[in-house]
Amino acid sequence: MTVLLFHEDSYRTSFIATVTHTEGNRVALDQTAFYAEAGGQNADQGFFVWEDQRLSVTDVQKKNGQVWHTIEGDVIPEVGSYVHGEVDWSLRYQHMQRHSGEHLLAQAFLRVNPEFRVQAVSMRSSECTLDLSGNPTEEDARAAEEVVMRSIYRNLPFHTVWVTGAELQQYPLRRPPQVEGRIRLVCVMDRMDRTGYWEVSACGGTHVNRTGEVGAVFITKLEKVAGGLTRVFFMTGHEAYRQLTQTYRDARTLATSFSTGIEKLTERVEALRTEALDSRRKLAEAHEALSVSLLSGKTGVQVVPLADSDMLKPFSKVAVAQPDLLCVAYTPDGRVVVTSSTKASAKEVLAEILKNAGGKGGGKPDLAQGSAPFEPLERAIHLWREGATT
Ligand SMILES: [Zn+2]
């Protein structure tokens, strides 16, 4: 059994230990400050100093009470030798902020509505998740954020205690423990509460000393997931600060480019969207009017080069409705439409053109469309036209 130093002090990053087992590039020690991946929290990283070597620790996993440290490189410390371990503190503190924020947010949801109970957690990336029962809404999420932020401002102390199964009932546990025997409780103390606690749950993870260190918790989105649960995505600590300030700066840059302030950004984007839809509608009307004018009084076989592929749709709509017309229209990007209100099949005409031009397409007897490289396409259309009109 490896002694877990972070259980007593999650701020300890430096330690000396004896190598007890090795297996390939993995090393077990008599004690460690490295947290092994568990409970939705990532493994720590860092390095060992052994003799004159500095060995990177890239992964940490627990198996049968042993903590196995994966070492990068070919050199492995021998059993019985001492190593000096150093945990990557910035990564560890990030995990502590995420994990402590997770406890606070889970308790906050429970305070908003006792139906909101945690079924699963993940803190493996900067966007952490809680899967909750009880169908929380966006409004509930905002209320839970308020509750969390107040607990952060109060800077309540975290406290860890080991208890037996019989002692558990003295504590207002948020959810029943998933382990048996001696149980580690992570408590957020609150002298203003009649129980003396703000939050209590069984947990083997690493946490900050006071709620103020969580810094901030904000919910990024809610999503319905399998099992009738709601996945709450959230960010905490320095990661939340970075995300929020970057988003603010992006929004400010965008607002400045529209010559407005952030508070008017939504209004400005809505106005632009309306303007864009209006312009698109006017353009479609203009294309249709132009198509009517281009085809005015035209019958028989017609070949019409169009300047813009946006014209193809309105043009073919007008062409197909015009009596006694077999029309081929094409654009500089190599798109072609054949329409027919005659006995000739648009589909067959298109097939003949595309066969000579080396293109692809298909359709029906009255309307067919395809594409091919422009120059062979134009040659194939003229070749067909000569055949069709002689
Ligand atoms: Zn925890």
Side-chain angles (χ1 to χ4, degrees):
M1 292 282 280
T2 314
V3 175
L4 307 175
L5 298 169
F6 55 81
H7 270 175
E8 298 315 316
D9 183 4
S10 54
Y11 290 75
R12 181 166 175 181
T13 56
S14 184
F15 64 99
I16 291 179
T18 308
V19 177
T20 54
H21 304 82
T22 62
E23 201 180 276
N25 62 340
R26 299 185 311 152
V27 174
L29 308 171
D30 61 340
Q31 57 175 5
T32 186
F34 280 84
Y35 181 80
E37 180 183 358
Q41 181 176 331
N42 286 340
D44 278 329
Q45 294 177 22
F47 60 89
F48 288 163
V49 175
W50 171 60
E51 296 180 344
D52 59 349
Q53 313 266 1
R54 189 178 185 275
L55 313 168
S56 288
V57 176
T58 55
D59 190 25
V60 187
Q61 297 291 329
K62 200 171 181 181
K63 207 171 112 189
N64 304 327
Q66 295 283 7
V67 176
W68 290 95
H69 307 75
T70 303
I71 308 288
E72 201 175 60
D74 305 328
V75 189
I76 291 293
E78 289 160 17
V79 171
S81 60
Y82 289 109
V83 296
H84 170 188
E86 281 289 340
V87 176
D88 179 331
W89 172 242
S90 62
L91 195 63
R92 156 64 73 78
Y93 198 57
Q94 192 177 73
H95 296 166
M96 283 161 59
Q97 286 186 317
R98 288 179 191 172
H99 200 141
S100 310
E102 181 269 314
H103 281 239
L104 299 183
L105 187 59
Q107 174 64 231
F109 268 107
L110 201 60
R111 286 172 180 236
V112 170
N113 185 336
E115 300 284 306
F116 301 156
R117 294 200 163 266
V118 173
Q119 307 300 325
V121 301
S122 175
M123 294 156 288
R124 293 179 198 282
S125 66
S126 59
E127 216 175 13
C128 305
T129 61
L130 284 179
D131 289 355
L132 295 180
S133 55
N135 296 312
T137 62
E138 285 289 340
E139 204 179 9
D140 297 321
R142 297 291 85 76
E145 269 177 354
E146 284 289 329
V147 174
V148 170
M149 289 312 294
R150 279 199 295 274
S151 80
I152 290 173
Y153 303 145
R154 292 180 64 204
N155 204 20
L156 302 170
F158 274 83
H159 177 66
T160 303
V161 61
W162 288 91
V163 297
T164 61
E167 289 167 326
L168 267 184
Q169 51 188 321
Q170 300 166 23
Y171 294 87
L173 253 85
R174 175 158 51 78
R175 61 170 174 163
Q178 289 157 338
V179 289
E180 290 180 355
R182 278 182 83 229
I183 294 162
R184 184 176 186 253
L185 295 183
V186 175
C187 313
V188 177
M189 314 304 286
D190 183 1
R191 279 188 292 183
M192 303 296 281
D193 193 283
R194 66 182 168 76
T195 63
Y197 299 98
W198 195 82
E199 142 78 11
V200 181
S201 52
C203 184
T206 57
H207 309 86
V208 295
N209 271 347
R210 298 191 82 101
T211 56
E213 289 181 76
V214 173
V217 172
F218 86 99
I219 293 167
T220 54
K221 63 182 172 188
L222 303 181
E223 247 177 44
K224 295 286 175 204
V225 292
L229 300 177
T230 303
R231 184 158 295 166
V232 178
F233 292 81
F234 66 98
M235 296 184 86
T236 66
H238 199 70
E239 291 173 307
Y241 159 78
R242 275 207 307 263
Q243 180 66 41
L244 288 173
T245 50
Q246 185 57 51
T247 306
Y248 183 88
R249 285 191 291 271
D250 290 346
R252 191 184 57 197
T253 304
L254 198 59
T256 306
S257 76
F258 290 145
S259 308
T260 187
I262 284 185
E263 67 289 351
K264 295 261 183 188
L265 190 55
T266 310
E267 203 180 297
R268 187 80 184 93
V269 170
E270 281 306 321
L272 283 173
R273 196 198 310 278
T274 309
E275 254 172 61
L277 285 173
D278 199 37
S279 301
R280 219 173 293 159
R281 187 180 50 79
K282 281 183 184 154
L283 183 64
E285 283 169 8
H287 279 155
E288 200 163 324
L290 180 59
S291 305
V292 169
S293 143
L294 282 171
L295 288 168
S296 170
K298 298 273 169 69
T299 54
V301 174
Q302 298 290 338
V303 170
V304 183
L306 297 171
D308 183 353
S309 58
D310 283 352
M311 271 288 286
L312 280 173
K313 203 174 166 187
F315 183 86
S316 43
K317 190 177 143 195
V318 173
V320 82
Q322 189 138 324
D324 195 26
L325 177 68
L326 175 58
C327 182
V328 177
Y330 64 103
T331 57
D333 58 356
R335 291 176 63 191
V336 55
V337 173
V338 183
T339 64
S340 174
S341 52
T342 67
K343 282 180 192 155
S345 162
K347 186 181 172 183
E348 282 169 20
V349 170
L350 179 76
E352 187 187 333
I353 292 170
L354 291 179
K355 192 178 140 206
N356 289 328
K360 277 193 248 174
K364 293 176 180 171
D366 62 339
L367 177 73
Q369 51 192 320
S371 62
F374 179 74
E375 280 171 19
L377 176 66
E378 195 171 43
R379 266 201 307 276
I381 290 170
H382 287 299
L383 194 67
W384 166 78
R385 189 195 175 133
E386 279 163 26
T389 49
T390 53

